[in-house]
Amino acid sequence: MSPLIQFRNIAKVYGTGNTEVRALWDVNMTIDSGEYCSIMGPSGSGKSTAMNMIGCLDQPTAGEYFFDGQNVAKLAEDELAHIRNRKIGFVFQQFHLLPHLTALENVEQPMMYAGVSSSQRQKRAIAALEQVGLGNRVNNRPNQLSGGQQQRVAIARAIVNNPLLILADEPTGALDTQTTQDVINIFSELNKSGITVVMVTHEPEVARLTNRIIWFRDGEVLNHHLAPEELASVTAMPV
Amino acid sequence: MNFAESLKMATKTLSANKLRSGLTMLGIIIGNASVIAMVGIGEGAQKYVNGQLQDLGPNVLFVVPGNREARQLGDLDIPRTLVLADAKAIATQVPSVAAVAAEKSTQGIVNYRNRNTSTSITGTTQGFLNVRNFEVAQGRFLDDLDERSNRLVAVIGSTLAERLFDNESPLGKQVRIKGITFEIIGVLEKKGSSLGLDYDDSVMIPITTLTSRLVGRTSPYGIEVGFISISAVSQEAMETAEFQITNLLRLRHRITAGDDFYIQSQDTLLDIANTVTGALTLMLAAIASISLFVGGIGIMNIMLVSVRERTQEIGLRKAIGASPKDILSQFLIEAVILSALGGLIGTAFGAGGIFLIAAISPFEAGVSVSAVVVAVGVSGSIGLFFGVVPARQAAKLDPIVALRSA
């Protein structure tokens, strides 16, 4: 397996002098392509910053970040936008669907920035919605869909440009147990089809279902391969 | 993203919030409607004045005492050298001239029995009918004999005739003009006012009678006139006539340098009128532009609010691959659509306003194509101009911060 995500001595520092905050400090981490892993850690551990970095939404203060073999630490904003568009699919806790657009139109959005023709867009968006089991809801607006359905539309939007990586930020945080299970199943399916899935979560039962847990604390990776059995002990650890 | 798609997306966003989009456009609509209407009114006024001047007839020249510069400076000390004899000389000695009339006016009270009215009293000569294109409705006009013998006879305009005599025939009636009794010998056909001179509401008497009995002032050079109006034999003869009249009057007035008269043609009057109405139009347009500008500020305001409100959307769009340029153009296009559409609607309202004004005023309706093009173009660029600040703000948003904002 070749590495898809590689952090080399990554640091992210906010502020200077007395107000300096080291959100990430000297982080080395590798996630291979095809992995299905979760990132965990207490709040303030730097996991969100790491996730933004992985998603090319943020850039490190120091260090090198290789994504798909390319050092993206110093890329311009336009180039980062291009990578996000083509190689990464985002799934958020609050779904972030555009309320005035239908499910179909929401899923079409990433392809508009990729310059896909209108007829192609529609075809691929329908296929993606069918893949997440929403083939019959294409013309519904977000407010006509349940939370689980909305999150599935968001997943369809994330996969529609055939990304290398699905990056999910607390994807089940706003969902009940049953729909959480549905969403996690979709992620496993996607992972089986070869897409790397990285998920930030604070729910041990969700993290347990992934193949690897990366544990962050105080801006560092404390454990690259936390065993699910150990979860109970680390979550109980004083922060 | 290509332009057509950006356009479609922007329309969708704007129609998702119709009330706000409509209200935002309202500023531009009002601004643009007032620009179109004001320019239309200005141009209507211009056409109206031009029409009035053209009513004078294309071949008419006016000889006015004093020199042009002095008159324009408002100098009241006009030389009293232009006299009736000059008019006679022009009539007899200038071959390119068809008819000549001398005129001098005063204001005064005209009584008939118990009715009285203040009106303009014009002393003139026989040539007046031909030069000014009047027809006699009843009786006859003033003639040479009336003039030579200072007769107490008068011809009245149709409006004045109605006011003084109702349905009675004025012919042969005695009226008192400034206390002196005149006999009405004719009534003029109605013609309407021209350049503020309404002969329909005026009484005409021999210029000699006016000078000797009513005004009582003669110049040492003869019977002073207010101006001499002349019609040339043809439009082509205008320049010749002007040249010949100038030479004749210079000879008669023994002028070697600095004329004591000047000649106005319809063209020179048109020039003056156009300068005045042009300035008026410009001023109206400038005032209306202010409201257009205010409308633009309204757009900027709403776009700024909209950027604030749609922070999450912007964050999401950035996350799924929108470049700063994509976001910038999205917000710019929305601003331009608002302003350009507002501009078009405003133009329609402005045009409607012009036709309304045309219906209730003597001005002609005219929606000038250039004003429409300029107004829509300007309002579009206003959207562009006032859209830049909010759009840049949106484009610069940090996607992480934008996504987090609740």
Side-chain angles (χ1 to χ4, degrees), chain A residues 115-197:
Chain A
V116 179
S117 77
S118 165
S119 57
Q120 270 293 313
R121 274 204 316 260
Q122 192 156 348
K123 216 156 75 185
R124 277 167 57 181
I126 289 173
L129 282 165
E130 278 166 354
Q131 202 178 337
V132 297
L134 285 176
N136 55 342
R137 309 308 290 265
V138 292
N139 290 320
N140 287 64
R141 281 169 202 272
N143 60 8
Q144 297 165 313
L145 297 171
S146 71
Q149 287 170 329
Q150 290 188 50
Q151 191 61 300
R152 282 191 275 158
V153 173
I155 294 171
R157 180 180 62 193
I159 60 176
V160 80
N161 266 349
N162 300 320
L164 302 172
L165 170 70
I166 297 278
L167 197 53
D169 185 8
E170 304 279 5
T172 57
L175 303 177
D176 60 35
T177 326
Q178 182 52 50
T179 44
T180 294
Q181 193 56 54
D182 295 345
V183 165
I184 295 301
N185 286 345
I186 294 172
F187 282 138
S188 324
E189 291 290 319
L190 291 171
N191 178 245
K192 276 181 198 133
S193 72
I195 302 176
T196 311
V197 178

Side-chain angles (χ1 to χ4, degrees), chain B residues 25-356:
Chain B
M25 273 195 284
L26 198 59
I28 292 288
I29 291 173
I30 291 171
N32 224 333
S34 43
V35 169
I36 297 284
M38 290 303 150
V39 171
I41 290 166
E43 289 187 350
Q46 194 153 4
K47 275 188 198 149
Y48 175 74
V49 171
N50 287 355
Q52 296 257 299
L53 285 170
Q54 259 137 22
D55 280 351
L56 292 175
N59 306 345
V60 177
L61 289 172
F62 296 92
V63 183
V64 185
N67 66 51
R68 189 185 301 250
E69 289 73 25
R71 287 200 87 128
Q72 278 173 351
L73 287 171
D75 191 343
L76 294 176
D77 193 18
I78 291 159
R80 298 163 63 182
T81 48
L82 197 63
V83 294
L84 185 58
D86 290 327
K88 301 283 176 205
I90 291 167
T92 52
Q93 294 174 37
V94 178
S96 53
V97 155
V100 177
E103 281 183 50
K104 184 170 179 63
S105 296
T106 183
Q107 287 285 321
I109 306 277
V110 180
N111 312 71
Y112 173 68
R113 293 195 180 141
N114 59 345
R115 296 187 186 203
N116 62 72
T117 178
S118 174
T119 187
S120 112
I121 303 152
T122 304
T124 186
T125 59
Q126 194 182 11
F128 178 88
L129 270 194
N130 286 332
V131 177
R132 292 304 187 88
N133 256 326
F134 268 99
E135 299 285 336
V136 175
Q138 297 173 47
R140 64 172 181 87
F141 196 69
L142 307 166
D143 64 16
D144 266 348
L145 194 62
D146 298 327
E147 186 190 313
R148 266 185 278 135
S149 38
N150 293 8
R151 275 188 181 159
L152 296 170
V153 290
V155 172
I156 63 171
S158 54
T159 314
L160 186 61
E162 277 165 38
R163 277 208 302 196
L164 284 177
F165 299 99
D166 283 334
N167 298 326
E168 269 181 82
S169 167
L171 286 186
K173 299 278 164 29
Q174 307 277 315
V175 294
R176 292 171 72 80
I177 301 172
K178 281 193 157 182
I180 296 161
T181 306
F182 283 77
E183 184 192 340
I184 305 285
I185 56 167
V187 180
L188 289 180
E189 201 82 67
K190 199 176 191 73
K191 197 172 177 200
S193 74
S194 170
L195 283 181
L197 287 176
D198 186 2
Y199 288 104
D200 293 345
D201 193 19
S202 150
V203 57
M204 273 132 290
I205 60 175
I207 191 167
T208 47
T209 315
L210 180 91
T211 311
S212 60
R213 305 298 295 271
L214 298 185
V215 188
R217 275 193 319 170
T218 53
S219 130
Y221 306 99
I223 296 169
E224 188 194 341
V225 300
F227 59 91
I228 299 169
S229 47
I230 295 149
S231 64
V233 287
S234 68
Q235 194 155 10
E236 292 73 43
M238 293 278 282
E239 269 181 57
T240 321
E242 198 174 327
F243 177 75
Q244 290 170 335
I245 293 164
T246 307
N247 279 340
L248 176 67
L249 290 181
R250 280 180 183 161
L251 268 176
R252 289 180 58 83
H253 295 183
R254 299 198 175 84
I255 288 166
T256 49
D259 287 347
D260 60 352
F261 65 91
Y262 71 95
I263 298 177
Q264 277 185 331
S265 62
Q266 188 195 321
D267 283 348
T268 60
L269 287 173
L270 273 176
D271 282 349
I272 295 167
N274 282 339
T275 313
V276 173
T277 50
L280 180 83
T281 308
L282 203 65
M283 190 191 75
L284 289 174
I287 292 170
S289 310
I290 293 172
S291 56
L292 198 56
F293 187 77
V294 172
I297 291 173
I299 286 193
M300 174 148 84
N301 192 12
I302 288 297
M303 292 310 292
L304 281 171
V305 171
S306 159
V307 169
R308 191 60 55 87
E309 252 182 15
R310 286 155 66 191
T311 305
Q312 285 205 29
E313 176 189 333
I314 295 162
L316 170 83
R317 288 189 180 283
K318 286 197 157 184
I320 64 173
S323 66
K325 210 184 76 204
D326 288 326
I327 302 290
L328 184 86
S329 66
Q330 180 187 349
F331 279 85
L332 265 189
I333 286 170
E334 280 179 27
V336 171
I337 287 180
L338 282 178
S339 62
L341 195 62
L344 277 173
I345 297 172
T347 302
F349 276 114
I354 290 173
F355 285 109
L356 197 71

Side-chain angles (χ1 to χ4, degrees), chain A residues 48 52 57-58 77-78 81 84-85 90 92 96 98 100-101 105 109-110 112-113 116-118 121 157 169, chain B residues 1 5 9 12-13 16 312-313 316-324 326 330 395 398-400 403-404:
Chain A
S48 295
N52 290 335
L57 286 166
D58 203 355
E77 226 184 309
D78 284 0
R84 290 197 295 268
N85 184 233
F90 288 89
F92 303 97
H96 284 308
L98 299 179
H100 58 278
L101 301 180
E105 289 164 334
Q109 294 302 313
M112 293 181 78
Y113 295 113
V116 179
S117 77
S118 165
R121 274 204 316 260
R157 180 180 62 193
D169 185 8
Chain B
M1 201 176 330
E5 274 171 354
M9 195 162 94
K12 203 147 198 164
T13 313
Q312 285 205 29
E313 176 189 333
L316 170 83
R317 288 189 180 283
K318 286 197 157 184
I320 64 173
S323 66
D326 288 326
Q330 180 187 349
D398 182 347
I400 302 166
L403 280 167
R404 287 276 154 74

